[in-house]
């Protein structure tokens, strides 16, 4: 059931890229959910939030632009916080279509009221002045269909569940370490598939040289994203 009592904070974390941040719970039991809205001629939302969060997400989008302007609603892999409110958003934005990788389009498409735009590895989607590039990342951290988007003009990596940080209320953006808190959470509740290709996939992501790593849970990181991703690869290797 949708929860109309929740409110999402809206922060422009890069030029024309807005983080929609909803804290849930408090203290050690708290957690946060982020979506990222890319405003352009054909606006794109990365992740929908769960159906429960839909009123908060819709209200947050409306603070930036009319929800009806959405053209793309992208997701990395199929979980409720990634695409649970997809059909609600498609209903609110009549011209919008889901965007995902080719595997997600094959296994998840029947869940959605409109057919998804399936992106191949490395395929670029033009939004207007912006271009986002799809990067397949199966089983990183989980989900056969997992993949990410890289926004080229701001060098922003929309990295899904990578670097998930616990806690309910975070600043939108930081230059401080996010690997330590995310690794602490992984050690307590390991949600990684530890797929054999993880090192190569992390190196592929690092090769984009992101200046911002836009996390879905916790703070986004501004700085040397390539170094951060390689540090994650080393940490995973130590626990393989």
């Amino acid at each position: 059931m949708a929860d109309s009592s929740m409110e999402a904070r809206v922060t422009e974390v890069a030029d024309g890229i807005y983080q929609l941040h909803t804290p849930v719970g408090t203290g050690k039991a708290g957690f946060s959910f982020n979506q990222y809205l890319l405003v352009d001629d054909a606006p794109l939302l990365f992740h929908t939030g769960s159906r429960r969060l839909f009123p908060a997400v819709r209200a947050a989008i409306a603070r930036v632009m009319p929800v009806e302007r959405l053209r793309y609603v992208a997701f990395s892999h199929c979980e409720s916080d990634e695409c649970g409110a997809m059909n609600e958003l498609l209903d609110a934005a009549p011209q919008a279509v889901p965007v995902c990788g080719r595997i997600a389009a094959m296994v998840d498409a029947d869940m959605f009221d409109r057919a998804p735009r399936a992106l191949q590895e490395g395929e670029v989607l033009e939004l207007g002045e912006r271009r986002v590039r799809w990067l397949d990342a199966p089983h990183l951290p989980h989900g056969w269909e997992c993949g990410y988007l890289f926004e080229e003009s701001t060098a922003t990596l929309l990295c899904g569940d990578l670097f998930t940080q616990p806690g309910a209320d975070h600043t939108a953006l930081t230059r401080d370490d996010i690997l330590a808190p995310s690794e602490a959470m992984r050690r307590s509740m390991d949600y990684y598939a530890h797929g054999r290709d993880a090192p190569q996939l992390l190196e592929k992501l690092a090769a984009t040289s992101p200046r911002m790593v836009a996390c879905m849970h916790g703070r986004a990181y501004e700085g040397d994203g390539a170094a951060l991703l390689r540090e994650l690869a080393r940490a995973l290797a130590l626990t393989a």
Side-chain angles (χ1 to χ4, degrees):
M1 180 178 293
D3 189 339
S4 59
S5 67
M6 293 181 180
E7 183 175 351
R9 182 190 67 213
V10 179
T11 306
E12 188 173 14
V13 292
D15 182 30
I17 299 180
Y18 295 83
Q19 182 195 81
L20 317 180
H21 172 88
T22 307
V24 176
T26 58
K28 292 183 178 180
F31 203 51
S32 64
F33 298 89
N34 299 327
Q35 300 80 40
Y36 290 89
L37 176 64
L38 282 61
V39 178
D40 208 323
D41 296 337
L44 178 145
L45 182 72
F46 190 67
H47 288 180
T48 71
S50 65
R51 292 176 63 195
R52 180 186 178 198
L53 296 184
F54 174 67
V57 172
R58 178 173 182 161
I61 296 169
R63 288 163 60 188
V64 179
M65 64 172 217
V67 178
E68 295 80 7
R69 282 197 61 218
L70 272 178
R71 293 297 178 271
Y72 300 113
V73 184
F75 65 99
S76 62
H77 61 286
C78 187
E79 288 185 293
S80 64
D81 52 336
E82 277 76 16
C83 58
M86 179 66 76
N87 289 332
E88 285 82 355
L89 277 162
L90 296 180
D91 184 60
Q95 297 183 62
V97 295
V99 172
C100 57
R102 66 195 189 286
I103 300 299
M106 179 176 70
V107 300
D108 301 328
D110 190 56
M111 299 172 58
F112 309 132
D113 290 341
R114 285 182 213 132
R117 169 83 176 265
L119 298 180
Q120 303 292 317
E121 163 65 23
E123 185 175 350
V124 168
L125 182 63
E126 303 274 357
L127 306 181
E129 294 185 0
R130 301 179 186 280
R131 292 159 41 101
V132 292
R133 180 162 25 113
W134 179 262
L135 301 165
D136 283 333
H139 307 296
L140 182 69
H142 47 247
W144 177 36
E145 74 273 35
C146 188
Y148 303 118
L149 285 175
F150 179 71
E151 199 285 308
E152 297 179 345
S153 66
T154 60
T156 294
L157 178 65
L158 299 161
C159 72
D161 283 336
L162 295 180
F163 304 107
T164 289
Q165 303 145 61
D169 198 8
H170 298 273
T171 58
L173 193 61
T174 187
R175 289 180 174 270
D176 295 336
D177 177 42
I178 64 169
L179 181 62
S182 69
E183 279 296 283
M185 180 166 178
R186 184 177 69 83
R187 285 192 295 270
S188 67
M189 182 191 300
D190 195 352
Y191 51 93
Y192 273 64
H194 298 282
R196 65 182 183 185
D197 296 329
Q200 293 87 346
L201 292 171
L202 283 165
E203 182 56 35
K204 179 177 73 171
L205 298 179
T208 65
S209 298
R211 296 193 295 270
M212 186 170 74
V213 177
C215 306
M216 298 299 119
H217 305 288
R219 301 165 294 173
Y221 173 78
E222 185 178 34
D224 189 343
L228 179 65
L229 287 156
R230 289 175 178 132
E231 286 176 23
L232 174 58
R234 287 191 287 272
L236 291 174
L238 291 174
T239 57

